[in-house]
Amino acid sequence: MRLLVTGAAGFLGRSVVAEAIQRGHQVHAMVRPATDVSALAWHDDPAVTLVRADLRSKNGLAEAVKDADAVIHLAAAVGGDLYTQLMGTVVATENLLDAMCETGVKRLIAISSFSVYSYIDKWSHTVLKETTPIEPRLKERDDYCLTKVMQENLVREYADREGLQLTVLRPGIIYGRDNLWTACLGAQAGERWWIRIGAGAKLPLTYVENCADAIVLAAEKQEAIGQTFNIVDNRCPSHRTYIRLLRKRLSPSPRVIPVPWTLMRAICRMAWIANRMFFKGDGKLPSILVPARMHARCKPLRYSNARLRKTLGWSPRYSLRDALDRSFSVPVLREEAHQESEASA
Amino acid sequence: MTNGSGHPPLRSAVIGAGVISAEHLRFLQRSPAARLVGVCDLSKVLARYAADTYGAESHYTDHVQMLEQAKPDVVHVLTPPHTHCKLAADCLKHGTHVIVEKPIAPTNEEFRILSTMARWQNRALTEDHNYRFNEPILEMESLVSNGVLGEIREVDIRMALPITEKGGGFADENLPSACHHLPAGALHDLLPHLCYLALRFIPPVEQVAARWDKYSDHPLFAHDSLDAVLFGGGVHTRLRFTSHQAPDCFTVVVRGSKGWVETDLFQPYFRLTVPRRAGKQLSPLANQWVNGIAMAQSSVTGFVNKIRKNTPLEGMQTFLSRTYTALRTGAELAVTHDDMDQTTQLMDALLAEENRI
């Protein structure tokens, strides 16, 4: 297949391109005009064509999209203010969809997020799955949630109107080298102290290479068309377990301050009441003191990847321990690996 | 239908649903003087988001279509600066009043063409000079007009913003801001603030000396620093913009023959040093006491502002409120053609080759 991958130079994009090459696909890797591609392991791979474009502008997008059999849309803004995220996630997606419609490209694998779900109404320890309702109270959540919900609504709207063959994938927390901490664990107070909220709550983790595998598989399989899948690895670890495994591999090992979930929930509730009393609920508080955001980050829930396993036959390639070992290993550059194999030959 | 003041609300529309539109739309959503009939943006999804969030009656991706279908009385032009003249002219041709974000035009010549067109069409044309309407500036103007500071001798306006730093809108190499094509490059988007504020306190400028520099190696920027001195009517004025100092600041100092006053519009405080009732000997002490207490109060106000999401753009609500009152009553606009003419003239003078150091 000829796959166009947007956000190819991002944390997930790098692995998706690598996975797609490994499976024998031709990849058009879309990177931003000023991206330094020399650090991308696959930048000179013959199966990869680099496409330089910024999705916030329509310029050159139709040309970039026109030959693709499928588009894997990963590009999104993960930081910045609301309007940065609106442009980088929502308007970018709109421009991509317009280019697809203009060129007649029908197959789209859109990467959404676990952040789109509504958490505050969900009972603790229940299973979060694809049928869990989408967040209705977007004003109470953060800009990332708002823009990802808008993005998902937009791709569904285009799919209905333009007859796109759409697959929506919602990865949980994607981790890997240089991305091992997550705000769902709590907060980092400098390099030496971690505040861990909750202990037994499960983390909806997916290792970046496992996630990339699921994404490329979804692009390949006809059964994925019209479906929505959560991507999480098997046997999600608890906060306590994940932090223990991380600390084992770090030197010096950070110290952990445990804060029970029930205590944090009570603090959050008090902050919410104070906000209502003194600022009519319109005060800007840190995320950790806003109930809807706190529940989305730390609520003890269970997660399922049953639909993905059953429909596409996916199973994660790397276990948690293997994934952490790979994340902490010394990276081997493609050139070095090539030299090594030549030398051994 | 009227809103109690005897005047019906004006049918308002917005072109451009980017970051600055949020402040305008917040006003239009709350003000009884306005009825938001349309939002237009090249991005349909952004126009729809703005319309849904702020209760607009319709949204468009074509401004001419909006002008013809929504039939607004007043249009806010909030697009990138290089499009202001064209869009404002289109609105005037359709018989609407126009409120334009700064800079209204790249040069004084282009402003005057627009100004003539507005007068010919008998429509109001105004530019957003929002910082002029921040509380500390209004208080400063009041002190000056009441003679508390005596004769004005010096004005010093300084803005420090890290515009060349990675992550900022102007420094984005992937999608370079259209502001880089303005006569003063990206600084052209910020300098109107310094110019219109200075012009509130000084007599006509007779001489200008401006030094433009570039200290960063960022390829997009023509300049990232301006140090300018203006002379006129015995008043010395310094305008300083830098992107290489921290923390961010926007300080305004006005010095007179009797005393001086200072504020920072980004982290508001108000420091007034004048002769006190305690007499000449004790006035320095009294000033320290009074200003110390005021500074402590500012720290509390700053904290509350942060929680309340009040930003340094607070003056825009006052500017818009006064502008709408003027539009409905026929009174003089909050920002007049003379204000805009002088501001664009000063911008031209800062850029003129003969004034460069």
Side-chain angles (χ1 to χ4, degrees):
Chain A
M1 289 174 84
R2 278 167 302 188
L3 299 173
L4 174 74
V5 179
T6 71
F11 173 60
L12 178 57
R14 280 174 275 168
S15 294
V16 169
V17 174
E19 180 67 29
I21 300 168
Q22 204 175 359
R23 288 167 179 255
H25 299 297
Q26 287 291 314
V27 180
H28 286 220
M30 187 180 283
V31 298
R32 287 180 163 189
T35 300
D36 176 10
V37 294
S38 60
L40 302 171
W42 37 256
H43 75 275
D44 56 356
D45 192 296
V48 174
T49 305
L50 281 171
V51 180
R52 288 195 178 272
D54 193 309
L55 286 169
R56 293 171 296 172
S57 160
K58 288 181 189 290
N59 287 345
L61 291 188
E63 181 65 24
V65 165
K66 69 176 185 189
D67 294 325
D69 296 319
V71 175
I72 297 176
H73 181 36
L74 304 167
V78 291
D81 61 19
L82 169 63
Y83 282 86
T84 303
Q85 296 193 42
L86 281 170
M87 288 301 292
T89 301
V90 186
V91 176
T93 302
E94 182 186 37
N95 290 339
L96 176 70
L97 291 164
D98 285 341
M100 288 178 67
C101 294
E102 187 183 329
T103 53
V105 175
K106 292 288 183 193
R107 183 77 177 101
L108 175 66
I109 295 88
I111 310 305
S112 183
S113 165
F114 259 37
S115 68
V116 300
Y117 289 119
S118 174
Y119 290 83
I120 199 158
D121 296 328
K122 206 162 168 53
W123 289 99
S124 293
H125 307 293
T126 55
V127 181
L128 184 138
K129 44 193 171 187
E130 290 83 350
T131 50
T132 299
I134 299 293
E135 180 62 81
R137 290 181 290 264
L138 290 169
K139 281 184 182 170
E140 293 174 28
R141 294 285 298 278
D142 55 18
D143 297 338
Y144 184 73
C145 168
L146 167 70
T147 50
K148 290 304 277 186
V149 169
M150 285 176 73
Q151 181 194 42
E152 204 178 306
N153 289 340
L154 191 67
V155 294
R156 291 187 192 285
E157 180 189 317
Y158 269 73
D160 289 345
R161 197 178 67 213
E162 307 288 342
L164 297 183
Q165 298 171 343
L166 175 67
T167 302
V168 174
L169 299 175
R170 295 178 183 146
I173 300 160
I174 306 168
Y175 73 105
R177 190 189 306 282
D178 302 328
N179 273 283
L180 292 161
W181 175 263
T182 161
C184 295
L185 287 166
Q188 284 178 304
E191 289 183 2
R192 297 300 313 276
W193 292 90
W194 287 353
I195 299 166
R196 188 195 70 209
I197 299 171
K202 301 289 183 189
L203 274 177
L205 291 179
T206 174
Y207 175 55
V208 64
E209 292 182 72
N210 293 341
C211 185
D213 176 34
I215 290 168
V216 179
L217 187 66
E220 292 168 343
K221 295 263 188 177
Q222 287 292 309
E223 298 90 316
I225 294 170
Q227 298 280 349
T228 299
F229 299 106
N230 286 347
I231 307 178
V232 285
D233 292 348
N234 297 337
R235 288 192 294 278
C236 295
S238 65
H239 288 204
R240 187 193 291 117
T241 305
Y242 184 68
I243 281 196
R244 184 168 47 78
L245 292 172
L246 275 189
R247 288 180 69 218
K248 261 188 190 173
R249 289 165 169 81
L250 288 171
S251 178
S253 176
R255 296 179 180 211
V256 176
I257 305 168
V259 179
W261 161 247
T262 42
L263 173 64
M264 201 60 226
R265 199 169 54 174
I267 292 171
C268 238
R269 184 78 186 163
M270 283 191 284
W272 182 82
I273 292 168
N275 193 359
R276 300 280 295 184
M277 281 173 64
F278 299 115
F279 302 104
K280 296 177 182 170
D282 203 28
K284 183 183 176 186
L285 299 175
S287 279
I288 211 161
L289 296 178
V290 179
R293 297 179 196 174
M294 188 64 199
H295 280 247
R297 277 167 66 168
C298 302
K299 191 167 205 167
L301 295 171
R302 291 182 291 133
Y303 307 95
S304 166
N305 57 16
R307 184 186 282 185
L308 185 63
R309 282 190 288 119
K310 192 175 169 190
T311 313
L312 302 186
W314 177 77
S315 71
R317 195 180 296 157
Y318 300 102
S319 68
L320 174 64
R321 280 178 175 75
D322 291 344
L324 286 176
D325 288 343
R326 287 178 74 80
S327 301
F328 279 94
S329 66
V330 178
V332 180
L333 294 176
R334 220 166 58 84
E335 290 76 9
E336 289 173 9
H338 186 62
Q339 284 165 7
E340 275 175 21
S341 64
E342 274 189 347
S344 61
Chain B
M1 191 177 76
T2 68
N3 59 0
S5 64
H7 298 281
L10 293 167
R11 295 171 61 84
S12 305
V14 163
I15 305 177
V19 61
I20 198 65
S21 73
E23 292 292 328
H24 288 256
L25 290 164
R26 192 158 62 92
F27 169 81
L28 295 172
Q29 184 184 33
R30 294 175 181 178
S31 172
R35 175 179 153 198
L36 184 55
V37 295
V39 176
C40 176
D41 195 278
L42 289 174
S43 162
K44 187 178 178 182
V45 69
L46 208 51
R48 187 170 64 191
Y49 166 75
D52 291 347
T53 306
Y54 296 98
E57 292 171 17
S58 55
H59 59 88
Y60 301 84
T61 54
D62 180 334
H63 71 282
V64 175
Q65 191 186 11
M66 180 177 78
L67 292 169
E68 287 170 356
Q69 290 181 4
K71 299 194 186 310
D73 300 313
V74 53
V75 177
H76 298 231
V77 176
L78 314 175
T79 50
H82 66 291
T83 62
H84 287 175
C85 285
K86 159 86 172 68
L87 292 172
D90 284 351
C91 295
L92 290 170
K93 280 179 204 162
H94 280 81
T96 73
H97 304 300
V98 191
I99 299 169
V100 189
E101 258 304 320
K102 53 77 203 170
I104 188 168
T107 62
N108 179 252
E109 187 186 356
E110 287 163 273
F111 162 70
R112 286 190 172 179
I113 293 169
L114 211 53
S115 171
T116 307
M117 184 186 276
R119 287 191 164 117
W120 192 71
Q121 295 276 1
N122 196 25
R123 295 289 91 184
L125 171 72
T126 192
E127 181 185 22
D128 173 22
H129 289 183
N130 54 291
Y131 285 111
R132 246 183 68 185
F133 302 92
N134 281 33
E135 278 302 321
I137 299 297
L138 294 175
E139 207 169 330
M140 274 184 176
E141 285 197 48
S142 167
L143 290 171
V144 171
S145 63
N146 292 332
V148 176
L149 302 181
E151 295 288 322
I152 299 304
R153 299 286 189 237
E154 280 186 28
V155 174
D156 185 306
I157 302 181
R158 171 184 298 262
M159 182 186 274
L161 274 178
I163 58 171
T164 57
E165 263 182 23
K166 198 179 169 191
F170 292 127
D172 187 348
E173 289 180 65
N174 292 302
L175 194 62
S177 164
C179 292
H180 291 293
H181 299 297
L182 292 169
L187 266 63
H188 210 111
D189 197 40
L190 300 165
L191 291 182
H193 293 307
L194 280 70
C195 293
Y196 67 65
L197 283 180
L199 290 165
R200 298 305 294 171
F201 301 105
I202 62 175
V205 177
E206 295 158 10
Q207 206 179 352
V208 174
R211 182 181 167 118
W212 298 84
D213 286 297
K214 181 181 175 181
Y215 292 110
S216 77
D217 55 3
H218 198 294
L220 289 175
F221 288 84
H223 323 283
D224 53 26
S225 164
L226 168 70
D227 199 350
V229 187
L230 324 176
F231 302 96
V235 179
H236 292 228
T237 304
R238 187 180 184 201
L239 303 182
R240 179 81 175 104
F241 177 87
T242 174
S243 53
H244 303 284
Q245 288 173 11
D248 300 354
C249 76
F250 190 3
T251 57
V252 179
V253 186
V254 179
R255 296 174 194 277
S257 56
K258 289 185 186 170
W260 58 280
V261 63
E262 177 186 63
T263 189
D264 183 344
L265 295 170
F266 288 168
Q267 286 85 32
Y269 67 87
F270 201 77
R271 183 178 178 190
L272 175 65
T273 305
V274 286
R276 302 281 176 182
R277 282 183 195 164
K280 194 174 180 182
Q281 297 295 327
L282 291 177
S283 274
L285 197 61
N287 275 316
Q288 283 182 325
W289 271 100
V290 171
N291 287 322
I293 292 165
M295 196 63 98
Q297 285 172 337
S298 300
S299 67
V300 176
T301 310
F303 178 71
V304 173
N305 280 342
K306 209 164 181 60
I307 294 177
R308 285 191 189 278
K309 296 179 269 187
N310 291 342
T311 71
L313 296 173
E314 49 123 336
M316 193 183 291
Q317 304 301 312
T318 309
F319 159 70
L320 290 172
S321 175
R322 291 188 183 185
T323 300
Y324 269 74
T325 303
L327 290 175
R328 297 199 309 155
T329 60
E332 188 178 61
L333 287 165
V335 174
T336 64
H337 281 238
D338 276 352
D339 294 333
M340 294 182 276
D341 191 44
Q342 287 173 26
T343 303
T344 47
Q345 270 189 56
L346 179 52
M347 288 288 293
D348 281 1
L350 290 170
L351 283 159
E353 279 302 325
E354 64 270 23
N355 294 332
R356 295 203 182 198
I357 301 172

